[in-house]
Amino acid sequence: MTPGQVGTSVTGTPHIAARPGDFAPLVLMPGDPLRARRIAETFLHDARQVTDVRGILGYTGTHRGVPMSVLASGMGIPSVTIYATELFRHYGVRRIVRVGTAGAIPAAVSVRDVVIAAAAHTDSSLSRVLVDGVTLSLAPSYRLLRAAADAAGPALCGDAAVHIGPVLTSDHFYLTRPALFDALEDRGTLAVEMEAAGLYAVACAEGGEALAVLTVSDHLRTGDALTAEERESDFDRTLRIAATALLTGV
């Protein structure tokens, strides 16, 4: 499929096979398709699968009696921008909250902590190509950000610390540039991940709302990291904050 190409099928888009109305206006978006399935099975009520194109799984059910969907984004800015654009543009989605993982940068942020991304720096060209001559500031919906901050107390997070501030969305997973992380830490950057800036850019362009709520799964300085099993159990608090934010004002 070439960039910008529009699907010609009666139902679905180039990357999503769902029918009109199959997605709720509120969407949780993990990167991993298997995590999307786990959210559908354990968090949503009466969830049904609505798409599985290229193994990217999407489901719709309810949460607290309100229709809510989950769709995986895949990994990286190009992938998340495809799925977020198609959801906002073709399926009537209004809000997307990314629920993912991130690597901590400063010592004050620990493994298992929650990071709510109040801004997303990026080493991608994304922020420079959308508006000619301007480098965009990529930020979430304030309404979702405020709702997530309000929700992130002991009732949902237990003893885990919650940090609110900027993250780096990088195109490079195996990035080894200590000086870069030193400079970012000096400027208040909390963590590095791979999708938030893309999601924020799409929401801005499509008139939607977006937020990224992240579990710290590893630490760039200390090398501490969660096991695969620990990632799943510690992911739940991030999911609860994200869903609460999605439901604000609904």
Side-chain angles (χ1 to χ4, degrees), residues 121-195:
H121 311 310
T122 184
D123 54 16
S124 165
S125 64
L126 178 75
S127 61
R128 300 187 301 277
V129 301
L130 296 176
V131 177
D132 189 37
V134 174
T135 299
L136 292 181
S137 296
L138 301 174
S141 154
Y142 175 75
R143 177 163 48 184
L144 294 183
L145 178 64
R146 176 63 183 269
D150 289 346
L156 292 186
C157 298
D159 295 332
V162 178
H163 309 268
I164 302 173
V167 301
L168 170 68
T169 300
S170 180
D171 276 341
H172 307 278
F173 184 83
Y174 293 107
L175 187 63
T176 53
R177 291 172 59 190
L180 171 65
F181 294 123
D182 289 343
L184 288 168
E185 182 175 350
D186 288 344
R187 289 156 178 83
T189 307
L190 299 175
V192 58
E193 54 85 71
M194 300 188 72
E195 289 82 28

